[in-house]
Amino acid sequence: MAAKVSEGLEKLQLDQSKKSNGASNGTTPGGIDAEPDESDDDKEDDGPTADAGTPGAAKKKKKRKPKKKKAAGGVPKAQSDPPRVLLSNLFPNGQYPEGETVEYRNENSYRTTNEEKRHLDRMNIDFLSDYRQGAEIHRQVRQWAQKNIKPGQSLTEIAEGIEDGVRALTGHNGLEEGDNIKGGIGFPTGLNLNHIAAHYSPNAGNKTVLQYGDVMKVDFGVHVNGWIVDSAWTLTFDPVYDNLLAAVKDGTNTGIREAGIDVRMSDIGAAIQEAMESYEVELNGQTYPVKCIRNLNGHDIVQHSIHGGKSVPIVKGGDQTKMEEGEVFAIETFGSTGKGYVRDDLETSHYAKKPDAPNVSLRVSSARTLLNVINKNFGTLPFCRRYLDRLGQDKYLLGLNNLVSSGIVESYPPLVDIKGSYTAQFEHVSHESW
């Protein structure tokens, strides 16, 4: 999800290539395909056969072919299509693939070569195991989505396909109280078309259908024990947008390379802007410079909260805050053929309870009821209206709006550039380690 900056305040908001789980100067918990194991054949003993020369012997019996022994319990050893196999069944030893490691450079190179410092990272194995599991789930669902999303599908169909995969692979269907807080959906699936840059997910009754000429940003999250993997890519079918996608992908990859312990946010933003804005795109005979969307940022992630308080700008600026050891950042960049600046618009779908929500008296009974549902099913994890519908909630808008106005829940309207423009996004998670 994107972090929006407006008048100095921060708000909540991949490459589908082989480097889609690219990391910062540290380790990004991505993964590789699990190779299915070969099952051994179980050869059964044949019963005795009568010799042709034996008196009264029948014709010689044919030997039965040995039957293959079925895998114990029928546990699949490869992911299904669509993805529905619990990931832990594919990795029974609990060792999930590591992401790509980007080496430190120049004066920071000792962080990579020093064995003692690298040992510090291995000590935090539980944290990294959860992240690597979430990243592998994201990768498998993401690869399925990239192959199967086609023009003519509704946005609701696309979103539910992604979310069903995440729930199946994490083993958390999210219908029992507290289940989604243990694992599953990290935040609502964003399907942002054309000039819409972020925070758009179809509400109930949405009839929008994906078209061949659309530029769609697909942004979804997976979490395991509250550790959120936040990754996004841009999907197009018309090659005229290739340069726009290449510019934003270059910006994200540059941000990942530049990120690391003790690196200043302003330096990362300056490098991203220099990379992205070196591109231009030609549409309908007119050339447009690719602009960084200057009021959208990357952000840090803390347990059970998609935004921890730090922002990673994508333009040069005066933020001298440094990245610190052990922090997790979503490195995401946005480019546009429009103004390079977004504003709130359209119907809201994204919400989240504030981590520091005030303890206030709620006079609207539906607000009290809904807050109880949010606490038990989402905590501080973002959710959308479809998730409330799925839990059987109805006629909740009055209560939801009351929670927003009371400062308990934050609403996140879609963020849009000017109509007629096209925006793109790429994003990956980076763990800053020794």
Side-chain angles (χ1 to χ4, degrees):
M1 289 180 67
K4 181 189 175 189
V5 175
S6 178
E7 297 179 0
L9 298 178
E10 300 164 4
K11 293 184 66 178
L12 173 68
Q13 118 89 111
L14 276 196
D15 188 348
Q16 62 262 51
S17 68
K18 293 181 180 178
K19 198 173 186 255
S20 65
N21 278 324
S24 69
N25 296 330
T27 301
T28 302
I32 56 175
D33 284 304
E35 295 291 341
D37 297 328
E38 295 292 332
S39 58
D40 295 330
D41 290 339
D42 181 39
K43 297 187 177 181
E44 300 177 356
D45 293 333
D46 293 312
T49 58
D51 292 331
T54 303
K59 291 182 179 180
K60 189 173 182 179
K61 295 182 180 179
K62 293 182 179 180
K63 289 186 178 182
R64 290 181 295 175
K65 293 181 180 181
K67 296 181 180 179
K68 289 186 178 181
K69 185 177 179 180
K70 293 182 179 180
V75 178
K77 294 189 176 181
Q79 190 51 260
S80 61
D81 183 5
R84 295 293 184 269
V85 179
L86 186 68
L87 189 74
S88 58
N89 287 342
L90 302 181
F91 296 89
N93 62 359
Q95 299 296 313
Y96 299 101
E98 295 184 12
E100 182 178 350
T101 299
V102 178
E103 304 291 344
Y104 281 95
R105 298 174 297 174
N106 304 323
E107 67 273 8
N108 266 335
S109 61
Y110 76 96
R111 298 187 188 278
T112 299
T113 59
N114 188 302
E115 174 62 28
E116 180 181 356
K117 297 189 183 303
R118 285 188 285 122
H119 174 70
L120 296 175
D121 184 49
R122 294 193 292 268
M123 292 173 63
N124 208 1
I125 192 64
D126 291 339
F127 161 83
L128 288 178
S129 178
D130 287 344
Y131 251 117
R132 287 168 181 161
Q133 181 181 0
E136 180 64 13
I137 291 169
H138 198 291
R139 188 190 66 82
Q140 292 190 13
V141 174
R142 181 174 71 246
Q143 288 189 343
W144 172 82
Q146 289 168 350
K147 293 176 183 177
N148 288 276
I149 296 175
K150 297 291 188 294
Q153 293 178 313
S154 70
L155 296 193
T156 299
E157 177 187 359
I158 295 169
E160 290 181 348
I162 290 171
E163 291 159 358
D164 287 347
V166 171
R167 293 185 180 110
L169 270 60
T170 58
H172 294 283
N173 196 35
L175 292 175
E176 297 181 2
E177 284 188 359
D179 189 43
N180 188 68
I181 296 177
K182 298 175 184 176
I185 305 294
F187 55 82
T189 302
L191 300 175
N192 308 285
L193 296 178
N194 305 325
H195 71 295
I196 305 172
H199 297 174
Y200 186 94
S201 192
N203 288 323
N206 188 298
K207 303 298 184 183
T208 305
V209 173
L210 180 64
Q211 304 296 324
Y212 174 81
D214 285 335
V215 177
M216 184 169 72
K217 283 68 65 185
V218 184
D219 189 358
F220 73 95
V222 178
H223 88 93
V224 177
N225 293 323
W227 297 111
I228 305 170
V229 175
D230 181 1
S231 186
W233 78 97
T234 299
L235 181 67
T236 61
F237 306 98
D238 191 332
V240 298
Y241 304 111
D242 285 354
N243 256 21
L244 173 61
L245 271 61
V248 182
K249 188 181 299 184
D250 191 2
T252 296
N253 290 338
T254 297
I256 290 170
R257 287 194 303 269
E258 295 295 323
I261 300 170
D262 291 339
V263 176
R264 298 184 189 277
M265 304 297 184
S266 57
D267 294 338
I268 299 174
I272 290 172
Q273 184 174 20
E274 181 179 4
M276 190 189 304
E277 295 191 348
S278 64
Y279 291 78
E280 56 186 24
V281 57
E282 183 176 336
L283 300 173
N284 299 319
Q286 185 172 348
T287 300
Y288 298 88
V290 177
K291 300 176 183 177
C292 294
I293 300 181
R294 58 186 181 276
N295 60 331
L296 288 180
N297 294 327
H299 50 90
D300 66 331
I301 301 173
V302 298
Q303 192 173 24
H304 290 112
S305 184
I306 189 64
H307 289 259
K310 288 186 176 181
S311 295
V312 184
I314 63 174
V315 293
K316 59 185 178 181
D319 188 357
Q320 299 299 304
T321 304
K322 292 183 178 181
M323 290 183 168
E324 299 179 48
E325 177 189 354
E327 290 181 322
V328 176
F329 286 90
I331 305 296
E332 60 180 326
T333 69
F334 296 83
S336 176
T337 61
K339 290 185 176 181
Y341 188 88
V342 293
R343 56 183 176 82
D344 297 347
D345 195 13
L346 307 175
E347 184 180 57
T348 301
S349 59
H350 287 46
Y351 299 86
K353 182 186 174 186
K354 296 180 179 179
D356 57 350
N359 185 13
V360 298
S361 177
L362 296 171
R363 297 182 179 180
V364 179
S365 61
S366 60
R368 294 194 296 270
T369 301
L370 184 59
L371 180 58
N372 187 49
V373 172
I374 293 171
N375 285 334
K376 290 182 177 179
N377 292 279
F378 307 108
T380 55
L381 292 169
F383 61 92
C384 66
R385 294 187 194 178
R386 285 186 297 105
Y387 299 173
L388 296 176
D389 300 335
R390 188 171 179 267
L391 292 172
Q393 299 298 305
D394 59 359
K395 299 179 180 179
Y396 54 76
L397 280 180
L398 175 63
L400 183 56
N401 290 333
N402 184 251
L403 292 175
V404 172
S405 62
S406 298
I408 297 172
V409 168
E410 187 78 51
S411 64
Y412 298 94
L415 302 171
V416 306
D417 203 331
I418 57 173
K419 286 186 177 181
S421 66
Y422 295 94
T423 61
Q425 172 196 18
F426 285 92
E427 175 181 22
H428 274 302
V429 167
S430 168
H431 173 226
E432 310 313 321
S433 66
W434 291 103

